[in-house]
Amino acid sequence: MFDNLSEKLERSFKLLKGQGKITEINIAETLKDVRRALLNADVNYKTAKTFTENVKAKALGSDVLNAVQPGQMMVKIVHDELAQLMGGESVDINMNGNPAVILMAGLQGSGKTTHTGKLANLLKNKKGKKPLLVAGDVYRPAAINQLQVLGEQIGVDVYTEEGNNDPVKLAKDGVKHAKTNGYDVVIVDTAGRLAVDEQMMNEIAAIKKAVSPDEILFVVDSMTGQDAVNTAKEFNDRLNFDGVILTKLDGDTRGGAALSIRSVVEKPIKYVGMGEKMDALDVFHPSRMADRILG
Ligand code: GDP
């Protein structure tokens, strides 16, 4: 994860740390490298530009030029700015409803169904919740079956309705079932398409209206780089979602999505998926992610 970005940043800071005293020119050169590294990691242009401008202002403002260890101080400034770029603090999901309703949205293949299972598993094991999963991808029997298999694996019930191909009614019925049967969280999986289309957006907007979710989570594949950010924007314009689950961070992702989503969409990443297993889901901590990026 982020190997390329980490390597590039490490190289440019090494040069800087090698200098006893640094000049404004050293800072400018380092920031040029940082910006190039970010663009190379698929961070969008505007985000990378603002980022380096902020770092420069902070560096000059905190008098890096006269610091005893200017290189270390620059690394710290970049670290804090990276954490800030990813939202600063970690943000929890809202589970105030009784039952709390969580709606999962995203493109097909993003990891929606897998993460519906992972989230239920986490809420059950770490928060002592009793979740119910709703198999809302009614068009794909394989998706319903996939959720049932996951549910069985983690010991969480899955709500389905044989022959019902109306996802809005299914979601409503699922929430009603949860209410009358003592479940305290309902996670509604939904159908995705390979690309954003009007029908999918209308459908998920209708589900949102029907079940008034406490939390809408947009699930996105971190390997898709700038596309991840564009898709997030389209979903957010339509759904005004509450948070993001960034998936497949265990793969060879360049990191752009993790770094850009927050600043472009202004919604926090709340969880990151780190593998196919049901326990491979972590709460997202911007500062820890910045630690990882800087190695
Ligand atoms: P959906 O179409 O959005 O419901 O996507 P799925 O949940 O079916 O996931 C698509 C593929 O990605 C499956 O093969 C999953 O096993 C895989 N997958 C999902 N999440 C992760 C992850 O965090 N890491 C890795 N490596 N694979 C994942």
Side-chain angles (χ1 to χ4, degrees), residues 127-183:
K127 300 212 174 187
K129 297 283 178 188
K130 187 184 174 197
L132 176 71
L133 304 181
V134 177
D137 190 352
V138 294
Y139 311 110
R140 292 193 310 140
I144 298 174
N145 185 253
Q146 186 189 349
L147 197 63
Q148 283 170 324
V149 170
L150 293 178
E152 210 158 288
Q153 202 179 317
I154 58 175
V156 167
D157 294 336
V158 178
Y159 185 81
T160 57
E161 282 175 4
E162 184 106 11
N164 179 358
N165 57 6
D166 175 356
V168 179
K169 180 175 181 310
L170 181 73
K172 250 178 146 167
D173 292 352
V175 173
K176 204 194 278 168
H177 179 83
K179 214 174 260 178
T180 47
N181 290 280
Y183 296 91

Side-chain angles (χ1 to χ4, degrees), residues 191-237:
R193 305 281 196 282
L194 291 174
V196 174
D197 69 37
E198 207 38 40
Q199 195 195 345
M200 169 175 69
M201 286 301 183
N202 286 340
E203 181 180 297
I204 194 151
I207 296 175
K208 174 183 174 182
K209 198 161 168 236
V211 300
S212 307
D214 298 276
E215 179 81 24
I216 302 176
L217 290 171
F218 171 66
V219 180
V220 66
D221 179 345
S222 63
M223 309 276 282
T224 57
Q226 301 230 7
D227 274 349
V229 179
N230 297 334
T231 314
K233 213 168 167 312
E234 292 189 63
F235 271 80
N236 193 48
D237 287 347

Side-chain angles (χ1 to χ4, degrees), residues 23-36:
T23 63
E24 212 164 311
I25 294 176
N26 297 135
I27 293 184
E29 275 167 3
T30 305
L31 290 180
K32 216 195 251 170
D33 283 349
V34 169
R35 186 155 142 195
R36 215 174 289 141

